[in-house]
Amino acid sequence: MDIGFIGLGSMGHAIVENMLKAGHRVRVWNRTSERAQPLVSLGAEIVDTPAAAFAGEAVFSMLADDAAVADVIDAALLEQAPRDLVHVNMATVSVALAEAMAREHAARGIHYVAAPVMGRPDVAAAGKLTIITAGPAEAVNRVQPIFDVIGQKTCRIGSLPQHASVIKLAANFALASAIETLGEAASLLAGHGVAMTDYLDVITASVFPGPVYAGYGKLIAERRYEPAMFKARLGLKDVRLALAAAEASSTPMPLGSLLRDNLLEVMARGEGEKDFAVLGEVAARRAGR
Amino acid sequence: MDIGFIGLGSMGHAIVENMLKAGHRVRVWNRTSERAQPLVSLGAEIVDTPAAAFAGEAVFSMLADDAAVADVIDAALLEQAPRDLVHVNMATVSVALAEAMAREHAARGIHYVAAPVMGRPDVAAAGKLTIITAGPAEAVNRVQPIFDVIGQKTCRIGSLPQHASVIKLAANFALASAIETLGEAASLLAGHGVAMTDYLDVITASVFPGPVYAGYGKLIAERRYEPAMFKARLGLKDVRLALAAAEASSTPMPLGSLLRDNLLEVMARGEGEKDFAVLGEVAARRAGR
Amino acid sequence: MDIGFIGLGSMGHAIVENMLKAGHRVRVWNRTSERAQPLVSLGAEIVDTPAAAFAGEAVFSMLADDAAVADVIDAALLEQAPRDLVHVNMATVSVALAEAMAREHAARGIHYVAAPVMGRPDVAAAGKLTIITAGPAEAVNRVQPIFDVIGQKTCRIGSLPQHASVIKLAANFALASAIETLGEAASLLAGHGVAMTDYLDVITASVFPGPVYAGYGKLIAERRYEPAMFKARLGLKDVRLALAAAEASSTPMPLGSLLRDNLLEVMARGEGEKDFAVLGEVAARRAGR
Amino acid sequence: MDIGFIGLGSMGHAIVENMLKAGHRVRVWNRTSERAQPLVSLGAEIVDTPAAAFAGEAVFSMLADDAAVADVIDAALLEQAPRDLVHVNMATVSVALAEAMAREHAARGIHYVAAPVMGRPDVAAAGKLTIITAGPAEAVNRVQPIFDVIGQKTCRIGSLPQHASVIKLAANFALASAIETLGEAASLLAGHGVAMTDYLDVITASVFPGPVYAGYGKLIAERRYEPAMFKARLGLKDVRLALAAAEASSTPMPLGSLLRDNLLEVMARGEGEKDFAVLGEVAARRAGR
């Protein structure tokens, strides 16, 4: 396929590599073009403007947050984009922005598909992302071959793009909850001189297999929060978006509030660039350890 | 081996079955002896007193809570028990009781081994329990063949029995946290008209494989809390014990407190006999759903 | 003085009455002019536009929230207003809006004074408001005679208008906390069959004199939440603004979060138009009472 | 009257002084008799045993906590006490202990009156305590003249002594809530550079008159937590008792839980001997200040 790609952070970079390896033609744009250079040897074509990426059969974007999305994908860009283009937004954005984007794309005859993903850069590099996609069925069908190349599984959840946002935010909320759980458990164990590794052996062998409890548990056991695989600052951003989405339907989320407060403490302590696992340090500090 | 077994609730029953099937001789005692009858055809010998079970090479007990343990395993029983007997306590008890039991057994030359387990009755029946054991190494070695019969994995975590309690309580705390997380997520999703099953597809395929998120998530999605596989009332008991253990070392566990408050609401609403998943109903009710 | 007044809700109405009684000339504007009619007999002059009120020596505004303020006091209005006019904004607005308003007024040579007040309509009618004012000293001096007529005490807290917002929001946060406290205490007392009135006698005679504990305590004791003197919906608005102001400086406010969640439950239950005291009903419901 | 008095901490000491000044005969007992010496010059008679104090027309006790009460006022003491004696317990004890004490006294024909008080030692010295009393009306009538000497107001709340405990615990819960409120407000204000004293001026002049907001607010504004007038450790004790009383009737108290967690942090940080106001430091620390 002839694809545009906007946003070459570590996630975008890994995704584009897999697109190229699968033989697709990819025009890439990034705010700072040096990020794009290493992809040229794999066949990527660097373009100078987002508009040049907004062409071909489909354009994918993977930008940092609502502000970046709103800034790059503006009305002017949409106005000049070809009718019938499919735009796949892979960023984790607010429910409100997802709704607004869907509306604005539709008004101009552009297909808007939301496709936030589960998985960090290493998972993206391995082509093992789980893709949460929502949008018009026909548009999703057209980009499904690309999803097959970059992910291990595509979860299609209907035609409303904002529903993908809700699921992604609820998933990251669950991630944050698990980390908070591990942090408080670690403090309980430490208070009785029990090794966190023994605890992790037990729970990962029984109720909690999978990468989250083992992986974040290890970081907390070692109190090692750098380098960050997923920054606490970005974790807070997603918890905020989940709470905002909940508030829009008057839904109390007390555990969400607890996470927000602990992550604000992380920010206040200047630890926002550390790994999300640093939530464990908040618990440790409160217990005087 | 020649084994005694005290406490034939659904867990104890399933465990004894596996002991008998593996060819061990088991003398069983239960407060109400009818519970023991079905095991006779498999070879169990019913005894009339706990003292008669406290004999042979080892005695296992699986009683409901601290009160039941303290009531049955009293000083008189220990006084008349044979020196060098190994007592394996499989109940989830408080850290304080575990310490007291270890002391009182040691004072009489009886070996005390803690062995709380991960897994509900269906897991016990399949011989797939995860056993968390702590106690004198020599004593644990002697009963390891039995652990191999009733469980899929034994996690040995040192010589202090109370450490097994701490780990078990921290594991059940994590279980409760996951259920609360699913409950709040369900309310968030419902507020936006997103299907809980779509959410579960995403997270169980990516970050949260394993039985907890899929299983409890399904119960919450269906708002079906009966019959209970693990009663909310017992979940509250364990959260309380975790908080008590934390308090003993001045450890704040705000998520633990949140769980306790929500489970108190469950009790106040007369839902204590329902499945632990009923935590999801607390979240739903607060969101007016 | 020659005064304009914008916004004739129950608070504004009571304030203007006191201005008129003290002999000041007041031009009043309200979105729906019927609200203004009763003031004519006291000497008020009804004007057709906000611009007509934005004249004379000073203009006061008492609008519902950020949206109403931003809607009425827009750039066009400020452009046509006379230089050197003093605008006194009595609404409880966000810190961000207070900063923006100060900047925009200053850019046009208009003096911006923040003056949110403590006190409900009955207190306003009695001329007993406590006025929290911040702004350029000279401008505050000019309107001090008006403050003396409508309030019992003016607290001057410096030259930055947003500081008045912070104090007002922190005060309303304290109010909400006191109500939550009373609600949880009421549930504790009810669980033991103790009369709330006995409790209120004790605390109002000792540690908690003043209108809040006695007044809200009575409403909670009687579980009577209508008619609302201060609506729960507006209480939530202020808690939100306090949390937003806190977040701007990475300040966790866990009690603030708890209040927000309980007030979201109030909204979800359709009780937003009831008195702020309805927080007590959230506690009662959770305790199954 | 002929009175016995047990427990001469700073509260007991101040109370006995007022009893003596009013002309009553007081036999005093304290675990360490040096505490009693200064009272001899005012007319107190030092006795060697609690039993010698448990005589005359009435005996008052003011001991530190449940453990001290249960230790001193044991079955042996009650057995030898004269029938028809009135025992007034002024300590803040658990609801469970109040019930047990009432039962054990009644079984021996001794009248048990609960009379916890509001007020710290300075208030006790001034004879301005607020007395929360519950017990058989006739017994309370007999000691009312003493209450009139040591307090400014007696709140009689019926015949069940445990009801006085519930009210006292709910009052101290409200005290803790107010301190937490002030602590969080202080962090919010500090984040915006607003003076805490300005805030206190506003709220004490309007909604929150009385000693609590002004007094604790001042300590928090100055971040001065020593010397302690009421120790955080004792504050935690009372919050725990309130939560235990709530739990006995399945009553969630989320604000109570929040206070408990923050006070556990205080303990973990080695600040338990500091003033209750140190809750403000927990908030400040979390905000990185």
Side-chain angles (χ1 to χ4, degrees), chain A residues 240 247 250 254 257 260-261 268, chain C residues 240 247 250 254 257 260-261 268:
Chain A
R240 273 180 184 138
E247 184 164 323
S250 295
S257 295
R260 177 182 170 277
D261 284 319
Chain C
R240 272 180 185 140
E247 184 164 324
S250 295
S257 295
R260 177 182 169 279
D261 284 319

Side-chain angles (χ1 to χ4, degrees), chain A residues 236 240 243-244 246-247 249-255 257-258 260-262 264-265 267-268, chain C residues 236 240 243-244 246-247 249-255 257-258 260-262 264-265 267-268:
Chain A
L236 172 56
R240 273 180 184 138
L243 289 174
E247 184 164 323
S249 58
S250 295
T251 300
M253 291 182 73
L255 175 44
S257 295
L258 189 158
R260 177 182 170 277
D261 284 319
N262 283 358
L264 282 176
E265 176 174 337
M267 298 303 291
Chain C
L236 172 56
R240 272 180 185 140
L243 289 174
E247 184 164 324
S249 58
S250 295
T251 300
M253 290 181 74
L255 176 41
S257 295
L258 188 159
R260 177 182 169 279
D261 284 319
N262 284 358
L264 282 177
E265 176 175 337
M267 297 304 290

Side-chain angles (χ1 to χ4, degrees), chain B residues 240 243 247 250-254 257 260-261 264-265 267-268, chain D residues 240 243 247 250-254 257 260-261 264-265 267-268:
Chain B
R240 272 179 185 140
L243 289 174
E247 184 165 323
S250 295
T251 300
M253 291 182 72
S257 295
R260 176 183 171 278
D261 284 319
L264 282 176
E265 176 174 337
M267 297 304 290
Chain D
R240 273 179 184 140
L243 290 175
E247 184 165 323
S250 296
T251 300
M253 291 181 74
S257 295
R260 176 182 170 279
D261 283 320
L264 282 177
E265 176 174 338
M267 298 303 291

Side-chain angles (χ1 to χ4, degrees), chain B residues 32-184:
Chain B
T32 55
S33 65
E34 309 84 73
R35 293 279 311 167
Q37 286 304 336
L39 293 167
V40 172
S41 63
L42 291 169
E45 176 189 346
I46 300 181
V47 295
D48 291 338
T49 63
F54 250 68
E57 294 167 84
V59 57
F60 288 70
S61 61
M62 181 54 119
L63 293 159
D65 53 24
D66 275 31
V69 171
D71 190 38
V72 173
I73 321 284
D74 59 7
L77 178 63
L78 295 182
E79 275 304 329
Q80 65 82 52
R83 298 314 81 154
D84 204 36
L85 179 69
V86 177
H87 172 207
V88 181
N89 185 356
M90 308 187 76
T92 301
V93 297
S94 70
V95 173
L97 183 64
E99 287 175 351
M101 294 290 277
R103 211 163 41 235
E104 289 169 26
H105 281 65
R108 292 169 178 91
I110 307 171
H111 308 291
Y112 182 70
V113 172
V117 297
M118 300 301 295
R120 293 182 302 198
D122 55 328
V123 176
K128 302 268 192 184
L129 294 169
T130 297
I131 299 160
I132 311 164
T133 192
E138 170 58 24
V140 176
N141 288 345
R142 278 156 65 182
V143 294
Q144 182 68 52
I146 306 294
F147 289 160
D148 293 339
V149 164
I150 63 177
Q152 64 167 348
K153 171 163 175 155
T154 302
C155 297
R156 295 175 68 151
I157 54 159
S159 60
L160 298 174
Q162 63 269 29
H163 284 192
S165 273
V166 174
I167 286 185
K168 167 69 177 174
L169 294 172
N172 277 15
F173 157 69
L175 188 61
S177 296
I179 300 172
E180 172 70 20
T181 299
L182 288 164
E184 296 193 13

